mmCIF file of all heavy atoms in Angstrom:
data_model
loop_
_atom_site.group_PDB
_atom_site.id
_atom_site.type_symbol
_atom_site.label_atom_id
_atom_site.label_comp_id
_atom_site.label_asym_id
_atom_site.label_seq_id
_atom_site.Cartn_x
_atom_site.Cartn_y
_atom_site.Cartn_z
ATOM 1 N N ALA A 1045 -2.056 -7.142 0.860
ATOM 2 C CA ALA A 1045 -2.680 -7.935 -0.200
ATOM 3 C C ALA A 1045 -1.646 -8.840 -0.844
ATOM 4 O O ALA A 1045 -1.934 -9.989 -1.200
ATOM 5 C CB ALA A 1045 -3.303 -7.010 -1.235
ATOM 6 N N PHE A 1046 -0.437 -8.316 -0.974
ATOM 7 C CA PHE A 1046 0.645 -9.101 -1.573
ATOM 8 C C PHE A 1046 1.018 -10.276 -0.671
ATOM 9 O O PHE A 1046 1.197 -11.403 -1.127
ATOM 10 C CB PHE A 1046 1.841 -8.170 -1.788
ATOM 11 C CG PHE A 1046 3.092 -8.883 -2.177
ATOM 12 C CD1 PHE A 1046 3.226 -9.424 -3.440
ATOM 13 C CD2 PHE A 1046 4.131 -9.012 -1.278
ATOM 14 C CE1 PHE A 1046 4.377 -10.073 -3.801
ATOM 15 C CE2 PHE A 1046 5.290 -9.660 -1.630
ATOM 16 C CZ PHE A 1046 5.408 -10.202 -2.896
ATOM 17 N N MET A 1047 1.100 -10.001 0.636
ATOM 18 C CA MET A 1047 1.513 -11.058 1.568
ATOM 19 C C MET A 1047 0.400 -12.077 1.790
ATOM 20 O O MET A 1047 0.664 -13.222 2.127
ATOM 21 C CB MET A 1047 1.920 -10.444 2.900
ATOM 22 C CG MET A 1047 3.246 -9.727 2.815
ATOM 23 S SD MET A 1047 3.924 -9.321 4.402
ATOM 24 C CE MET A 1047 2.718 -8.219 5.039
ATOM 25 N N LEU A 1048 -0.842 -11.628 1.613
ATOM 26 C CA LEU A 1048 -1.960 -12.555 1.809
ATOM 27 C C LEU A 1048 -2.121 -13.503 0.638
ATOM 28 O O LEU A 1048 -2.712 -14.557 0.762
ATOM 29 C CB LEU A 1048 -3.263 -11.765 1.971
ATOM 30 C CG LEU A 1048 -3.391 -10.890 3.198
ATOM 31 C CD1 LEU A 1048 -4.619 -10.026 3.078
ATOM 32 C CD2 LEU A 1048 -3.475 -11.727 4.435
ATOM 33 N N SER A 1049 -1.586 -13.081 -0.520
ATOM 34 C CA SER A 1049 -1.847 -13.877 -1.716
ATOM 35 C C SER A 1049 -0.923 -15.084 -1.773
ATOM 36 O O SER A 1049 0.137 -15.124 -1.162
ATOM 37 C CB SER A 1049 -1.669 -13.020 -2.953
ATOM 38 O OG SER A 1049 -0.391 -12.442 -2.932
ATOM 39 N N ASN A 1050 -1.368 -16.041 -2.564
ATOM 40 C CA ASN A 1050 -0.628 -17.283 -2.704
ATOM 41 C C ASN A 1050 0.515 -17.081 -3.694
ATOM 42 O O ASN A 1050 0.355 -16.455 -4.719
ATOM 43 C CB ASN A 1050 -1.591 -18.350 -3.225
ATOM 44 C CG ASN A 1050 -1.057 -19.726 -3.008
ATOM 45 O OD1 ASN A 1050 0.151 -19.920 -2.988
ATOM 46 N ND2 ASN A 1050 -1.939 -20.677 -2.848
ATOM 47 N N LYS A 1051 1.686 -17.627 -3.370
ATOM 48 C CA LYS A 1051 2.847 -17.429 -4.223
ATOM 49 C C LYS A 1051 2.666 -18.110 -5.580
ATOM 50 O O LYS A 1051 3.012 -17.562 -6.625
ATOM 51 C CB LYS A 1051 4.085 -18.000 -3.529
ATOM 52 C CG LYS A 1051 5.378 -17.471 -4.099
ATOM 53 C CD LYS A 1051 6.547 -18.036 -3.342
ATOM 54 C CE LYS A 1051 7.842 -17.583 -3.950
ATOM 55 N NZ LYS A 1051 8.989 -18.138 -3.260
ATOM 56 N N GLU A 1052 2.091 -19.291 -5.551
ATOM 57 C CA GLU A 1052 1.899 -20.036 -6.804
ATOM 58 C C GLU A 1052 0.945 -19.304 -7.741
ATOM 59 O O GLU A 1052 1.157 -19.220 -8.938
ATOM 60 C CB GLU A 1052 1.343 -21.441 -6.495
ATOM 61 C CG GLU A 1052 2.243 -22.276 -5.636
ATOM 62 C CD GLU A 1052 3.625 -22.455 -6.249
ATOM 63 O OE1 GLU A 1052 3.696 -22.759 -7.444
ATOM 64 O OE2 GLU A 1052 4.620 -22.277 -5.532
ATOM 65 N N LEU A 1053 -0.099 -18.729 -7.128
ATOM 66 C CA LEU A 1053 -1.092 -17.997 -7.910
ATOM 67 C C LEU A 1053 -0.453 -16.801 -8.610
ATOM 68 O O LEU A 1053 -0.698 -16.542 -9.789
ATOM 69 C CB LEU A 1053 -2.202 -17.527 -6.975
ATOM 70 C CG LEU A 1053 -3.483 -17.018 -7.617
ATOM 71 C CD1 LEU A 1053 -4.342 -18.195 -8.000
ATOM 72 C CD2 LEU A 1053 -4.211 -16.134 -6.653
ATOM 73 N N LEU A 1054 0.408 -16.083 -7.897
ATOM 74 C CA LEU A 1054 1.063 -14.916 -8.481
ATOM 75 C C LEU A 1054 1.998 -15.332 -9.606
ATOM 76 O O LEU A 1054 2.096 -14.653 -10.625
ATOM 77 C CB LEU A 1054 1.844 -14.167 -7.401
ATOM 78 C CG LEU A 1054 1.021 -13.291 -6.473
ATOM 79 C CD1 LEU A 1054 1.909 -12.679 -5.425
ATOM 80 C CD2 LEU A 1054 0.315 -12.209 -7.250
ATOM 81 N N ASN A 1055 2.691 -16.458 -9.436
ATOM 82 C CA ASN A 1055 3.576 -16.935 -10.491
ATOM 83 C C ASN A 1055 2.793 -17.247 -11.754
ATOM 84 O O ASN A 1055 3.231 -16.945 -12.863
ATOM 85 C CB ASN A 1055 4.328 -18.180 -10.023
ATOM 86 C CG ASN A 1055 5.439 -17.818 -9.069
ATOM 87 O OD1 ASN A 1055 5.829 -16.649 -9.011
ATOM 88 N ND2 ASN A 1055 5.940 -18.775 -8.330
ATOM 89 N N ASP A 1056 1.593 -17.848 -11.568
ATOM 90 C CA ASP A 1056 0.757 -18.160 -12.719
ATOM 91 C C ASP A 1056 0.316 -16.887 -13.428
ATOM 92 O O ASP A 1056 0.280 -16.824 -14.654
ATOM 93 C CB ASP A 1056 -0.479 -18.951 -12.264
ATOM 94 C CG ASP A 1056 -0.150 -20.419 -12.068
ATOM 95 O OD1 ASP A 1056 0.995 -20.788 -12.365
ATOM 96 O OD2 ASP A 1056 -1.027 -21.176 -11.629
ATOM 97 N N LEU A 1057 -0.017 -15.866 -12.628
ATOM 98 C CA LEU A 1057 -0.484 -14.610 -13.218
ATOM 99 C C LEU A 1057 0.620 -13.957 -14.039
ATOM 100 O O LEU A 1057 0.377 -13.387 -15.091
ATOM 101 C CB LEU A 1057 -0.929 -13.649 -12.110
ATOM 102 C CG LEU A 1057 -2.322 -13.853 -11.551
ATOM 103 C CD1 LEU A 1057 -2.571 -12.881 -10.426
ATOM 104 C CD2 LEU A 1057 -3.362 -13.648 -12.640
ATOM 105 N N GLN A 1058 1.850 -14.041 -13.539
ATOM 106 C CA GLN A 1058 2.951 -13.390 -14.243
ATOM 107 C C GLN A 1058 3.288 -14.099 -15.541
ATOM 108 O O GLN A 1058 3.815 -13.488 -16.459
ATOM 109 C CB GLN A 1058 4.183 -13.353 -13.343
ATOM 110 C CG GLN A 1058 4.106 -12.199 -12.356
ATOM 111 C CD GLN A 1058 5.355 -12.045 -11.559
ATOM 112 O OE1 GLN A 1058 6.020 -13.022 -11.256
ATOM 113 N NE2 GLN A 1058 5.682 -10.830 -11.204
ATOM 114 N N LYS A 1059 2.953 -15.380 -15.625
ATOM 115 C CA LYS A 1059 3.263 -16.109 -16.858
ATOM 116 C C LYS A 1059 2.458 -15.565 -18.029
ATOM 117 O O LYS A 1059 2.906 -15.581 -19.169
ATOM 118 C CB LYS A 1059 2.946 -17.596 -16.660
ATOM 119 C CG LYS A 1059 4.186 -18.382 -16.271
ATOM 120 C CD LYS A 1059 3.835 -19.825 -15.976
ATOM 121 C CE LYS A 1059 4.890 -20.437 -15.096
ATOM 122 N NZ LYS A 1059 4.366 -21.524 -14.295
ATOM 123 N N GLY A 1060 1.238 -15.079 -17.751
ATOM 124 C CA GLY A 1060 0.402 -14.571 -18.819
ATOM 125 C C GLY A 1060 0.898 -13.274 -19.424
ATOM 126 O O GLY A 1060 0.429 -12.847 -20.471
ATOM 127 N N LEU A 1061 1.854 -12.620 -18.739
ATOM 128 C CA LEU A 1061 2.296 -11.301 -19.192
ATOM 129 C C LEU A 1061 3.441 -11.374 -20.190
ATOM 130 O O LEU A 1061 3.818 -10.365 -20.761
ATOM 131 C CB LEU A 1061 2.748 -10.455 -17.983
ATOM 132 C CG LEU A 1061 1.646 -10.106 -16.984
ATOM 133 C CD1 LEU A 1061 2.234 -9.355 -15.823
ATOM 134 C CD2 LEU A 1061 0.584 -9.269 -17.653
ATOM 135 N N THR A 1062 4.022 -12.538 -20.381
ATOM 136 C CA THR A 1062 5.165 -12.624 -21.273
ATOM 137 C C THR A 1062 4.699 -12.678 -22.724
ATOM 138 O O THR A 1062 3.532 -12.942 -22.997
ATOM 139 C CB THR A 1062 6.018 -13.858 -20.950
ATOM 140 O OG1 THR A 1062 5.147 -14.989 -20.878
ATOM 141 C CG2 THR A 1062 6.749 -13.697 -19.638
ATOM 142 N N GLY A 1063 5.612 -12.418 -23.620
ATOM 143 C CA GLY A 1063 5.266 -12.421 -25.033
ATOM 144 C C GLY A 1063 4.916 -11.034 -25.517
ATOM 145 O O GLY A 1063 4.254 -10.267 -24.810
ATOM 146 N N PHE A 1064 5.361 -10.701 -26.696
ATOM 147 C CA PHE A 1064 5.188 -9.327 -27.200
ATOM 148 C C PHE A 1064 3.733 -9.007 -27.466
ATOM 149 O O PHE A 1064 3.282 -7.879 -27.295
ATOM 150 C CB PHE A 1064 6.002 -9.168 -28.484
ATOM 151 C CG PHE A 1064 5.982 -7.762 -28.990
ATOM 152 C CD1 PHE A 1064 6.659 -6.770 -28.305
ATOM 153 C CD2 PHE A 1064 5.282 -7.434 -30.137
ATOM 154 C CE1 PHE A 1064 6.637 -5.477 -28.776
ATOM 155 C CE2 PHE A 1064 5.258 -6.137 -30.594
ATOM 156 C CZ PHE A 1064 5.940 -5.150 -29.913
ATOM 157 N N PHE A 1065 2.950 -10.010 -27.880
ATOM 158 C CA PHE A 1065 1.568 -9.740 -28.263
ATOM 159 C C PHE A 1065 0.593 -9.962 -27.115
ATOM 160 O O PHE A 1065 -0.606 -10.029 -27.347
ATOM 161 C CB PHE A 1065 1.179 -10.610 -29.454
ATOM 162 C CG PHE A 1065 1.884 -10.200 -30.703
ATOM 163 C CD1 PHE A 1065 2.950 -10.928 -31.178
ATOM 164 C CD2 PHE A 1065 1.518 -9.037 -31.364
ATOM 165 C CE1 PHE A 1065 3.609 -10.531 -32.319
ATOM 166 C CE2 PHE A 1065 2.174 -8.632 -32.503
ATOM 167 C CZ PHE A 1065 3.239 -9.377 -32.992
#
Side-chain angles (χ1 to χ4, degrees):
Chain A
F1046 170 72
M1047 287 193 297
L1048 294 171
S1049 55
N1050 198 331
K1051 198 178 177 181
E1052 299 303 314
L1053 193 81
L1054 282 177
N1055 284 343
D1056 279 356
L1057 278 177
Q1058 279 186 327
K1059 264 176 202 153
L1061 295 177
T1062 50
F1064 185 70
F1065 291 103

